[in-house]
Amino acid sequence: MMPPFETDLLFVAALTFLLAGFVKGVVGLGLPTVAMGLLTLVLAPAQAASLLIVPSLVTNVWQLLAGPRFGTIAIRLWPMMTGIVVGTLAGTGFVRAGGAGWASISLGIALITYAGLGLTAVRFSVPDASERWLGPLVGAATGLVTGATGVFVIPAVPYLGALGLAKEDLIQALGLSFTVSTLALAAALTEAGTLHGMALGTSVAALVPALVGMILGGWVRSRVSEVIFRRCFFLGLLTLGTHLVVRSLL
């Protein structure tokens, strides 16, 4: 028999990753954002990030390998990827003992920022001449947010969207960024002693509902307006982020 806490954790994780996978299936991203936002309502940020590793890694590698030009994109984006690794390893200090409250606040701010960008449909453009120095800075900033919150969309997603990549190249570039972020986060959590056997086993178990959710999301994507869904999604993230910040400050 499993202890009640472990049983409850598996149930919460299953529902969370089913929903997170569903969102990713519909809009192409959002699995770590949704999963971390919901899991940190019942777990410390470092514990929630540990459960994220396997579902995030598998779904993002799947997205990465589905694209047509991995070599070209990897060569173009390697400075940004290097920055992600360095920033993630540096940022994990926020989720260690004594920093859980600040990590929750950081996650809430990241969710609010991400939702605000999505709701306002802000669009950026990066000149070719700026990409060489801006890429590593964006990567480092993304890594710091990843290490502190377990969410790796800010500022990576707006930046990659501003590079003017073709649709399939953009999807593959996002997959590369998310995969590197996940691997760096896994290394940092392992070094910190947070990613241990029990957490890893639960993370493996969470892969099944995440994949089921992705399949369901893909089915819904062809039948429901993505514009309406994305608006509801970002409003939900805005509410969740605000709740995390207010709860941490009280």
Side-chain angles (χ1 to χ4, degrees):
M1 296 290 293
M2 296 179 64
F5 174 76
E6 293 183 31
T7 303
D8 292 344
L9 175 59
L10 287 174
F11 179 72
V12 170
L15 290 180
T16 296
F17 283 102
L18 180 66
L19 176 60
F22 175 79
V23 171
K24 186 175 179 67
V26 175
V27 300
L29 70 162
L31 187 147
T33 311
V34 173
M36 283 296 296
L38 294 177
L39 287 176
T40 50
L41 295 176
V42 295
L43 293 173
Q47 292 177 304
S50 297
L51 301 188
L52 176 70
I53 296 300
V54 174
S56 177
L57 181 60
V58 172
T59 55
N60 287 322
V61 169
W62 182 357
Q63 180 175 333
L64 169 62
L65 297 180
R69 300 202 307 159
F70 170 72
T72 302
I73 291 175
I75 291 173
R76 179 176 180 178
L77 297 179
W78 75 262
M80 176 185 172
M81 300 304 109
T82 302
I84 287 175
V85 173
V86 173
T88 301
L89 296 177
T92 49
F94 289 104
V95 297
R96 304 249 178 112
W102 285 109
S104 294
I105 293 175
S106 299
L107 175 58
I109 292 173
L111 293 178
I112 292 170
T113 303
Y114 183 38
L117 290 173
L119 289 171
T120 57
V122 174
R123 296 292 182 268
F124 302 99
S125 179
V126 176
D128 294 341
S130 302
E131 188 175 340
R132 181 175 300 177
W133 61 267
L134 187 57
L137 292 180
V138 170
T142 301
L144 288 172
V145 174
T146 299
T149 69
V151 175
F152 27 81
V153 296
I154 298 294
V157 171
Y159 172 77
L160 291 174
L163 294 181
L165 298 170
K167 179 181 178 181
E168 294 301 320
D169 288 344
L170 176 58
I171 292 175
Q172 192 166 33
L174 290 171
L176 175 61
S177 177
F178 296 160
T179 299
V180 171
S181 295
T182 303
L183 290 173
L185 181 62
L189 291 173
T190 300
E191 189 275 333
T194 305
L195 187 59
H196 47 70
M198 178 183 170
L200 187 59
T202 306
S203 184
V204 171
L207 176 61
V208 175
L211 293 177
V212 172
M214 281 190 67
I215 294 172
L216 291 174
W219 180 81
V220 170
R221 180 169 56 193
S222 62
R223 292 165 174 79
V224 176
S225 168
E226 183 176 339
V227 173
I228 295 176
F229 183 88
R230 286 178 68 89
R231 186 175 296 117
C232 294
F233 169 63
F234 286 123
L235 284 172
L237 291 185
L238 181 63
T239 302
L240 188 58
T242 303
H243 171 74
L244 285 173
V245 172
V246 172
R247 186 190 66 175
S248 300
L249 293 175
L250 292 179

